[in-house]
Amino acid sequence: MGNNVSIGLLGLGVVGSGVIKLIEDHQEKLVHQLGTSVHVKSVLVRNPEKARDVDLEKTFLTTNPWDVLNDPDIDVIVEVMGGIEEAREYILKAFSAKKHVITANKDLVALHGPELQEAATRNKCDFYYEASVAGGIPILRGITDGLASDHIQQVMGIVNGTTNYILTKMNNEGVSYESALKEAQELGFAEADPTYDVEGLDAARKMAILGRLAFSTDIDLTDVEVTGINGIELEDLQYGDKLGYTMKLIGYANFDDHQLEVNVQPTLLSKEHPLADVKNEYNAVYVYGEAVGETMFYGPGAGSLPTATAVTSDVVTVIKNLRLGVTGNQFTEPHFKKKLKTPAKRFGQYYVRLHVKDQAGVLSTISSLFHEFDISFNRILQTPVKKNELAEIIFTTHQTSLENFHTALNELKNLNEVIDIKSYYKAEGDGNIEMARTTETL
Ligand code: HSE
């Protein structure tokens, strides 16, 4: 590899430009750390004529992928073009050409990670993807290196900035989901088509990757249950607040007794939970390890330079491996056979909002029904809905199995006194009413 390592970049968008800038601006530090210079030699782009806010003097732009993939001087390919099929094809070709690969592409890693890992191993190439989860937060190395000796039991993440921004707005300003989304779009925090973010699909991909690495097991994207924040009503954030909770889109992955659950869902977090204070577009990942206890990693989940720091950390790792002559590495390979938990083995607390007939004995009927399934209530709120002679009942439960909770909800629908189950959400912790912003007493 000589005194310089040459990199080939596939794509020159927001992240690719950040990578070039970081490598050029921090060259002296990189040379000091690595004992070699690092240089982006060529870049695959769609349009070489496009004006770009990056110094490309020493860099060759091409529209032909083979100029990059077949260049014998290039040791490391950095894929920041996005998309799935083309990116997958180019990465597989890069491995066949014995080039090490770094990607920021969460969709690709979530969908085809195992295939790419296998190709990397077969060709004795390194394969890293730190930037695929939570942008600038070094969470994948935090899990695989920092907590390598620990038994990780739980990972909870706010891994989507768009939805966190929307929920923060709703919470702080008391605006509806629709107006918070509109404002997020106007400010560029949400895409014109926000489906991928608000339906939880982006977070699901990140949780599949996090879960694989945290628990050393294969997780398919289809194993991740997903509920997004679209359709969320302000009332539930406000009632949640009164009960001492904050609504967040939480990616949850839990592993015990070699059984696994991974999901993404709007969750009412106790205001005491470390993730409850993560606001606006920020991301954070909470990791609970048997030995270390609680840890939390916080930072920007997107953006040119933050994401480029993650990509460049992979570049540094690959070059260190090259210098040591120990290639063929990746974060971790699956070790445990996957077994998903049944609903009887999944435990949690829940928040439920109901419309019921405003008459004597309703609350006791509902609580008897839940008692039959061994579910006890934690807190209860009741308010009359005057114009319809209805009452709105909101309660949170203590820990129960998902199976019992769903059975109780189904039975609840059949009660004559219950008009409508307006909403239900997972709750995390008991809520802290001292931290509620409201001055009303419950
Ligand atoms: N769309 C993502 C988010 C950023 O809103 O967090 C890229 O993963």
Side-chain angles (χ1 to χ4, degrees), residues 1 7 22 28 35-36 59 106 133 180 194 198 207 210 241 272 275 286 291 296 311 315 365 376 387 393 406 424 441:
M1 69 179 221
I7 292 174
L22 218 53
E28 192 182 332
T36 173
T59 304
K106 65 184 160 284
V133 177
V198 298
M207 289 311 295
L210 276 174
D241 179 60
E272 284 177 337
L275 287 170
Y286 167 94
M296 192 164 96
V311 171
V315 171
T365 310
S376 70
K387 64 178 186 314
I393 293 184
H406 276 161
Y424 60 91
T441 45

Side-chain angles (χ1 to χ4, degrees), residues 104 106 131-135 158-164 189-191 196-197 202-203 206 281-283 301-303 307:
K106 65 184 160 284
S132 65
V133 177
I158 294 177
V159 286
N160 182 269
T162 306
T163 46
N164 203 38
F189 286 114
E191 304 277 344
Y196 184 69
D197 291 311
D202 173 78
K206 293 167 181 165
E281 73 280 20
Y282 276 89
N283 281 201
T307 310

Side-chain angles (χ1 to χ4, degrees), residues 128-397:
Y128 289 107
Y129 40 89
E130 179 66 71
S132 65
V133 177
I137 308 176
I139 183 62
L140 302 189
R141 265 193 194 86
I143 284 178
T144 55
D145 288 357
L147 299 176
S149 66
D150 205 351
H151 171 58
I152 296 176
Q153 294 173 327
Q154 188 165 297
V155 179
M156 286 171 67
I158 294 177
V159 286
N160 182 269
T162 306
T163 46
N164 203 38
Y165 184 86
I166 293 170
L167 291 173
T168 305
K169 272 260 144 227
M170 290 175 73
N171 195 49
N172 290 354
E173 295 172 22
V175 295
S176 68
Y177 166 75
E178 288 74 19
S179 23
L181 169 61
K182 191 161 170 280
E183 190 180 332
Q185 286 172 317
E186 282 163 6
L187 293 172
F189 286 114
E191 304 277 344
D193 177 0
T195 314
Y196 184 69
D197 291 311
V198 298
E199 290 189 358
L201 308 176
D202 173 78
R205 281 152 173 78
K206 293 167 181 165
M207 289 311 295
I209 299 169
L210 276 174
R212 277 178 202 157
L213 298 185
F215 310 137
S216 291
T217 186
D218 278 326
I219 298 177
D220 295 325
L221 197 48
T222 48
D223 297 327
V224 186
E225 286 175 17
V226 192
T227 310
I229 65 161
N230 45 327
I232 241 171
E233 293 188 72
L234 183 59
E235 281 95 321
D236 290 309
L237 272 75
Q238 291 173 332
Y239 284 129
D241 179 60
K242 286 186 184 186
L243 295 165
Y245 292 94
T246 304
M247 181 75 87
K248 296 286 180 192
L249 183 68
I250 295 294
Y252 178 87
N254 179 287
F255 190 64
D256 60 74
D257 200 17
H258 286 175
Q259 296 187 38
L260 173 80
E261 101 176 79
V262 194
N263 52 64
V264 171
Q265 58 186 313
T267 302
L268 284 160
L269 281 186
S270 168
K271 285 174 188 273
E272 284 177 337
H273 195 285
L275 287 170
D277 272 335
V278 177
K279 298 208 170 80
N280 298 316
E281 73 280 20
Y282 276 89
N283 281 201
V285 182
Y286 167 94
V287 181
Y288 189 89
E290 202 176 84
V292 74
E294 289 187 309
T295 62
M296 192 164 96
F297 303 70
Y298 170 89
S304 176
L305 289 177
T307 310
T309 62
V311 171
T312 313
S313 77
D314 287 343
V315 171
V316 166
T317 302
V318 170
I319 296 174
K320 284 182 176 168
N321 290 340
L322 278 169
R323 285 187 70 83
L324 292 169
V326 287
T327 59
N329 305 288
Q330 40 196 280
F331 285 117
T332 182
E333 292 196 40
H335 177 57
F336 298 113
K337 202 167 153 34
K338 174 177 71 186
K339 184 164 182 222
L340 295 175
K341 288 185 186 181
T342 62
K345 290 271 172 76
R346 290 170 55 178
F347 292 91
Q349 291 174 254
Y350 294 91
Y351 157 104
V352 181
R353 175 160 66 100
L354 305 171
H355 278 182
V356 298
K357 289 182 184 165
D358 199 0
Q359 62 191 36
V362 174
L363 202 51
S364 101
T365 310
I366 294 171
S367 103
S368 308
L369 188 151
F370 274 72
H371 181 64
E372 263 180 59
F373 295 97
D374 209 19
I375 303 173
S376 70
F377 290 170
N378 184 24
R379 290 191 201 284
I380 303 175
L381 252 176
Q382 178 173 339
T383 53
V385 183
K386 287 212 178 65
K387 64 178 186 314
N388 296 324
E389 302 295 312
L390 298 176
E392 190 155 54
I393 293 184
I394 296 100
F395 60 85
T396 55
T397 72

Side-chain angles (χ1 to χ4, degrees), residues 50-96:
K50 188 174 157 185
R52 292 182 165 88
D53 181 25
V54 61
D55 181 9
L56 292 168
E57 212 179 307
K58 291 177 263 164
T59 304
F60 170 66
L61 299 188
T62 175
T63 55
N64 180 355
W66 312 117
D67 286 343
V68 184
L69 296 167
N70 290 335
D71 185 334
D73 291 341
I74 289 179
D75 296 305
V76 185
I77 297 290
V78 172
E79 185 274 307
V80 281
M81 57 190 266
I84 299 194
E85 273 320 312
E86 260 183 327
R88 172 173 163 267
E89 182 196 342
Y90 297 162
I91 289 178
L92 289 172
K93 284 280 191 291
F95 287 140
S96 313

